[in-house]
Amino acid sequence: MNSSTLLVNLSTLFGEQSGLIFAALGAAIAVFLSGVGSAKGVGIVGEVAAGLMAEEPEKFGKSLVLQLLPGTQGLYGFVIGLMVLGRLKPDMSIGEGLYIFMACLPIAVAGYGSAIAQGRVAASGISLLAKNEEQSTKGIIYAVMVETYALLAFVVSIMLLSGVSFK
């Protein structure tokens, strides 16, 4: 089956608005996966931080920085979702819709995975804060290193969405 046959089959399956459907699905996946990853990551850190607050509530501010970090991936996915919503139109071709869908995948997949990984690293940073407050900045640095990969995926999704215009 060649690519043109596949596109015809998809158009037949989803109808006239198949391009719009795929583009909207891309936006939904970007928001959904990065948001679920962020919720899991923030939850992991929150569980550990709550234990620290029971013993040393004065460390709330420093623990909050670590707890917020895994939430950024959800924001990246949300921004990509908004960018896609601004491009949706009822007469989109299926090629355009599939392109937009694929442009959403970097932040959807990398955002999901990196938010959870960042949550684990940030939870370890909370443990470091609990044992040695002077070293807490190192825990933040470790967690921020994971953010690099979410940022790269975010930039790629932006570049893909901004780099091509369809007529």
Side-chain angles (χ1 to χ4, degrees), residues 32-100:
F32 172 73
L33 285 179
S34 62
V36 168
S38 283
K40 285 182 156 195
V42 169
I44 289 166
V45 183
E47 289 173 8
V48 177
L52 176 61
M53 291 304 95
E55 300 294 323
E56 299 178 79
E58 67 278 1
K59 294 182 178 177
F60 175 75
K62 289 185 178 183
S63 69
L64 185 60
V65 172
L66 285 159
Q67 214 232 329
L68 291 173
L69 285 172
T72 56
Q73 286 86 335
L75 294 174
Y76 301 153
F78 180 71
V79 168
I80 294 301
L82 288 178
M83 287 179 70
V84 170
L85 288 176
R87 294 184 72 163
L88 294 179
K89 49 189 194 266
D91 61 343
M92 283 182 140
S93 71
I94 188 162
E96 184 178 5
L98 286 170
Y99 179 89
I100 290 172

Side-chain angles (χ1 to χ4, degrees), residues 60-160:
F60 175 75
K62 289 185 178 183
S63 69
L64 185 60
V65 172
L66 285 159
Q67 214 232 329
L68 291 173
L69 285 172
T72 56
Q73 286 86 335
L75 294 174
Y76 301 153
F78 180 71
V79 168
I80 294 301
L82 288 178
M83 287 179 70
V84 170
L85 288 176
R87 294 184 72 163
L88 294 179
K89 49 189 194 266
D91 61 343
M92 283 182 140
S93 71
I94 188 162
E96 184 178 5
L98 286 170
Y99 179 89
I100 290 172
F101 174 82
M102 289 184 282
C104 294
L105 292 179
I107 192 55
V109 175
Y112 175 80
S114 68
I116 294 169
Q118 191 173 43
R120 290 183 181 128
V121 174
S124 295
I126 297 287
S127 298
L128 181 60
L129 172 64
K131 293 176 184 172
N132 187 346
E133 188 169 1
E134 295 80 39
Q135 301 298 317
S136 65
T137 302
K138 292 177 181 171
I140 294 170
I141 292 169
Y142 290 140
V144 168
M145 294 305 296
V146 180
E147 184 87 15
T148 303
Y149 300 97
L151 276 170
L152 292 173
F154 180 52
V155 169
V156 167
S157 285
I158 287 174
M159 289 172 62
L160 287 168

Side-chain angles (χ1 to χ4, degrees), residues 10-31:
L10 288 173
S11 290
T12 304
L13 180 64
F14 292 109
E16 289 179 17
Q17 295 190 333
S18 55
L20 176 66
I21 290 168
F22 279 107
L25 182 61
I29 286 173
V31 173

